[in-house]
Amino acid sequence: MSFAASDITGAGSTAAAPLYIKWKAAYTGKIGNKVEYQSVGSSAGIKKMKENSVDFAASDAPMSLEELKKINMLAFPTVISGVVPFVNLPGVRVGELRLSAEILVGIYSGKITKWNDALIEKENPQLHLPNLTVVPLVRSDGSGTTFTFSDYLSRVSPEWKQKFGTNFTIAWPANVVAAKGSSGMVDVLKKTPGSIGYTEYAYIIENSLNYVQLKNHDGLYVKPNAASFRVALANSGWTKTGQFEEMLTDKAGAGSWPITGSTYIYVPRVTSQPERTASVLQFFTWAFMNGDLIADSLDFIRLPDLVQARVVHEIGSVVDTHGNKLHVEIGLN
């Protein structure tokens, strides 16, 4: 089926919103097609997609092939980045605070309630930690960032996995403070001394937030950045088999960031609106070919070649209700 230009609308991930907003502005400026993006959270985006009220959804969590088959959708990753804990802690400078998996689990399970707790002091002998109440911030909306964060906690703590698990929303302890969206969490943290939150690395960079160092799978402290996300990616099946359903949390490697993840786009595998779906695939194909510098500016990591090849193949499998494949132009720049 021939490609026909059409304005499109997507919704979902607040974590990936900074990238998609910049991609759509560049795309509209070059190609002319308009792309609207609603930063409403991963769960809300997928819900809108199921209701056919948007042309694509964005989520920071993958579905299994079985789950995708049930809802007749195709999912493909766009970029790699990391979820990063960040704090508002008076007297502690950016990147100074060191936290282990045990400490994060303790904070978010409600067991660690003071910043001068013995476990935190043990990991930070160089710091004078205040006798200040820990205020854990969480997402009130269904969030792919929460999914990735809780997946990490489930991998490093059997107790967390049993009690809280991995999901877009978690039955948090009573002492948490909930905020809507990544930007909402950033706003609350800035106003709340003693608070700790988790967000996509792009928000850390854009807002000059006080990120923490994390002890990784190899027992070494690392800082969040493009290099540490790449190490996690290199120690995954993504680069070996192209299997992008694999979570990238708690990967081995001396420099590996432990809460690395990806963001995914969801589209119908069989579309009743072929022109609009073709326009979605056109937009992301253009972004894969022309959007690397924009992704780099936000410290997002491009997909490995093997994964990009699989994504192109998957995109080519989308058909209309008559079984005709959609034609997506790849030469636009």
Side-chain angles (χ1 to χ4, degrees):
M1 178 172 186
S2 296
F3 170 78
S6 179
D7 295 343
I8 53 174
T9 300
S13 168
T14 64
L19 175 64
Y20 295 155
I21 288 169
K22 288 191 175 184
W23 269 357
K24 75 183 185 70
Y27 180 71
T28 298
K30 287 282 187 179
I31 309 303
N33 294 13
K34 291 183 179 178
V35 181
E36 297 300 326
Y37 185 71
Q38 303 166 11
S39 179
V40 294
S42 295
S43 291
I46 291 174
K47 183 174 184 289
K48 284 176 175 287
M49 186 73 234
K50 290 179 178 178
E51 295 169 347
N52 294 315
S53 60
V54 294
D55 302 302
F56 68 91
S59 171
D60 305 309
M63 287 187 188
S64 68
L65 294 176
E66 292 76 16
E67 289 172 319
L68 289 169
K69 188 175 181 181
K70 284 180 183 177
I71 60 176
N72 200 26
M73 282 193 197
L74 168 70
F76 57 88
T78 54
V79 287
I80 309 295
S81 188
V83 174
V84 180
F86 62 115
V87 296
N88 179 345
L89 199 52
V92 176
R93 291 177 294 186
V94 173
E96 278 191 326
L97 185 67
R98 293 181 164 192
L99 298 181
S100 64
E102 183 182 10
I103 293 171
L104 273 183
V105 169
I107 287 174
Y108 275 92
S109 63
K111 292 181 178 180
I112 294 178
T113 59
K114 292 288 186 179
W115 279 109
N116 62 347
D117 184 278
L119 276 177
I120 305 178
E121 287 190 329
K122 182 181 177 182
E123 299 297 324
N124 296 275
Q126 79 285 8
L127 298 181
H128 178 69
L129 294 165
N131 182 23
L132 188 63
T133 298
V134 178
V135 183
L137 305 183
V138 301
R139 291 280 294 275
S140 61
D141 50 325
S143 160
T145 308
T146 296
F147 188 100
T148 303
F149 185 66
S150 59
D151 178 79
Y152 168 67
L153 298 181
S154 292
R155 290 178 189 275
V156 297
S157 170
E159 182 181 358
W160 178 278
K161 184 176 182 179
Q162 182 180 15
K163 188 172 182 179
F164 298 102
T166 301
N167 214 328
F168 293 93
T169 57
I170 299 293
W172 303 102
N175 67 319
V176 304
V177 174
K180 187 174 182 179
S182 297
S183 58
M185 184 179 284
V186 170
D187 290 342
V188 173
L189 182 128
K190 287 181 176 180
K191 301 172 186 175
T192 312
S195 58
I196 178 172
Y198 54 90
T199 192
E200 163 63 46
Y201 185 59
Y203 284 87
I204 301 291
I205 295 300
E206 287 194 337
N207 294 278
S208 300
L209 300 172
N210 190 351
Y211 63 83
V212 308
Q213 296 183 51
L214 286 181
K215 184 180 285 187
N216 66 12
H217 184 88
D218 288 17
L220 301 172
Y221 275 104
V222 293
K223 294 182 178 181
N225 51 46
S228 58
F229 305 151
R230 285 194 183 96
V231 175
L233 180 63
N235 284 277
S236 74
W238 287 54
T239 55
K240 302 175 181 68
T241 65
Q243 295 301 309
F244 51 64
E245 293 80 11
E246 175 188 353
M247 292 296 289
L248 297 172
T249 50
D250 196 36
K251 293 300 180 186
S256 175
W257 180 252
I259 323 181
T260 299
S262 183
T263 186
Y264 297 79
I265 297 301
Y266 289 78
V267 294
R269 191 172 287 278
V270 179
T271 176
S272 60
Q273 296 182 304
E275 289 187 358
R276 298 183 72 86
T277 302
S279 291
V280 172
L281 301 179
Q282 177 72 72
F283 167 57
F284 285 104
T285 300
W286 178 91
F288 285 139
M289 298 180 68
N290 301 279
D292 283 355
L293 289 179
I294 295 174
D296 289 347
S297 72
L298 295 170
D299 280 305
F300 285 99
I301 309 302
R302 73 181 296 276
L303 301 178
D305 290 343
L306 192 61
V307 173
Q308 279 209 7
R310 183 184 163 197
V311 169
V312 171
H313 179 266
E314 294 278 356
I315 285 174
S317 71
V318 178
V319 297
D320 65 18
T321 53
H322 300 291
N324 300 311
K325 289 187 176 182
L326 308 187
H327 177 67
V328 178
E329 298 286 345
I330 63 173
L332 299 180
N333 56 20

